[in-house]
Amino acid sequence: MSDEEIDVFKVLSNPTRRRILMFIAEKGAASYKDLIQIVPKAGALYHHLRLLGDLIEQDEHRMYRLTPKGEKVYEFLISDFFIPEDQTAVQRLLTPRVYLEYVEGGVAYFLLILLLLTSLLWLLHPYAFLLFIVPIPTNILGFYVPPLVLVNYVCCSFLEKGLIRVLFKRRVGAFDLLAKSSPAYIIVNLYPIILSTENPYLISVFHIVVQIIGLLLCISAVSVVARLPLKSALTIVIVLHYSALLILLSVAIGFWSQVVFPTASISLTSISISYLFFVVMWD
């Protein structure tokens, strides 16, 4: 199809492209009529074929075949090294990797715009700031908060990218990680709505629930982008989350200790519940 070098991990991150590649490999050669059965829309099929790049080619009969590089990628795809699909409905529900794999192109830009809009909700409670996915008390006021929340989101994504590189020797795209991590932060951006109620019980429950959901989405995003097992992705997320808690407890030594200590305790509870969940579900 194309002599352009492609990002193999980006190609394999999409289940439709994996199906096309495996179909061509297992059939030996596939016609356009064969492939349109997999992707009924011609425009979408052409899009996936174009992104497969130098992994496939057309012969003199206009049949699609794998290139030598495509054959190596297929062997990699069916090996134990490549992450298998989730096996149970519970796993698919709580760690929705299959849905995050579709976060690209227009969907990715839509989620990033939604993230920008939901970050404005922090204006409802300008005395709180987001550190990773741990809301903390602060004396920052007004319009400074949403930009800082967005900076926090970008910095955390780049820290995840660095940790993936250091711990697992894998390179991942920054934009891909930003886009696939955005659902977690969109949910966390709803937190100021609950804070504005000033109901301590509701705040505590929502704090735990939103952090568990946020953690699960962050873990899923790292797993999809870096093609890591969920437990390996959990390592990345826990490092960031506990780092945020350490900073939070350091702040508690100084000001706002009466508010910071309960916040840290609630965050510690949520990360512990998430960790135990993974140990039980995926051991």
Side-chain angles (χ1 to χ4, degrees):
M1 284 292 293
S2 170
D3 294 328
E4 181 184 356
E5 288 289 327
I6 51 93
D7 183 339
V8 172
F9 280 101
K10 183 176 181 180
V11 169
L12 297 183
S13 70
N14 186 282
T16 301
R17 290 194 286 276
R18 293 202 299 270
R19 286 181 61 197
I20 292 173
L21 192 70
M22 294 182 71
F23 181 84
I24 295 173
E26 292 166 2
K27 194 174 175 58
S31 66
Y32 180 84
K33 186 177 180 181
D34 293 327
L35 297 178
I36 202 71
Q37 302 302 315
I38 299 176
V39 186
K41 294 184 179 180
L45 175 58
Y46 177 76
H47 169 73
H48 289 299
L49 292 174
R50 180 177 60 82
L51 290 180
L52 283 166
D54 58 354
L55 301 184
I56 60 175
E57 61 185 1
Q58 282 184 294
D59 60 20
E60 63 274 14
H61 302 295
R62 301 193 64 79
M63 298 287 285
Y64 292 94
R65 298 179 182 274
L66 297 188
T67 63
K69 180 177 179 180
E71 291 174 356
K72 292 180 180 179
V73 171
Y74 171 70
E75 292 175 1
F76 165 73
L77 180 61
I78 62 175
S79 70
D80 291 336
F81 181 75
F82 194 81
I83 308 306
E85 300 290 346
D86 294 320
Q87 298 299 313
T88 68
V90 173
Q91 291 175 0
R92 287 192 294 271
L93 176 65
L94 296 176
T95 53
R97 291 182 294 175
V98 65
Y99 302 108
L100 293 181
E101 287 173 338
Y102 289 100
V103 177
E104 57 180 31
V107 175
Y109 287 109
F110 170 78
L111 288 174
L112 290 174
I113 291 172
L114 187 59
L115 176 71
L116 290 172
L117 294 175
T118 55
S119 68
L120 296 176
L121 291 174
W122 289 89
L123 292 172
L124 296 174
H125 203 280
Y127 293 96
F129 172 64
L130 193 64
L131 183 61
F132 187 44
I133 58 173
V134 181
I136 64 173
T138 180
N139 58 357
I140 299 172
L141 299 175
F143 289 98
Y144 292 104
V145 177
L148 288 174
V149 169
L150 292 174
V151 168
N152 164 78
Y153 157 68
V154 173
C155 288
C156 286
S157 295
F158 274 92
L159 284 171
E160 287 174 341
K161 174 179 167 67
L163 287 170
I164 291 167
R165 177 62 177 162
V166 171
L167 297 179
F168 300 102
K169 312 300 181 186
R170 298 189 184 181
R171 296 181 184 274
V172 298
F175 179 81
D176 199 25
L177 190 56
L178 284 167
K180 288 181 170 59
S181 299
S182 60
Y185 290 88
I186 289 170
I187 290 176
V188 177
N189 281 345
L190 302 178
Y191 193 73
I193 297 175
I194 305 301
L195 284 177
S196 62
T197 67
E198 299 183 355
N199 184 322
Y201 299 105
L202 183 61
I203 290 172
S204 297
V205 171
F206 190 82
H207 194 147
I208 293 175
V209 171
V210 78
Q211 285 195 319
I212 290 175
I213 295 173
L215 286 168
L216 291 171
L217 286 171
C218 283
I219 291 164
S220 300
V222 171
S223 175
V224 168
V225 174
R227 308 315 299 175
L228 289 170
L230 286 168
K231 281 191 176 181
S232 297
L234 175 64
T235 302
I236 301 291
V237 175
I238 277 188
V239 167
L240 280 179
H241 198 100
Y242 272 116
S243 297
L245 288 177
L246 287 175
I247 295 171
L248 191 59
L249 290 172
S250 298
V251 172
I253 296 174
F255 302 101
W256 315 307
S257 58
Q258 290 184 346
V259 180
V260 172
F261 272 123
T263 303
S265 300
I266 294 171
S267 297
L268 185 62
T269 300
S270 62
I271 187 65
S272 299
I273 291 172
S274 300
Y275 179 72
L276 289 173
F277 167 78
F278 271 92
V279 169
V280 171
M281 290 296 299
W282 278 274
D283 204 15

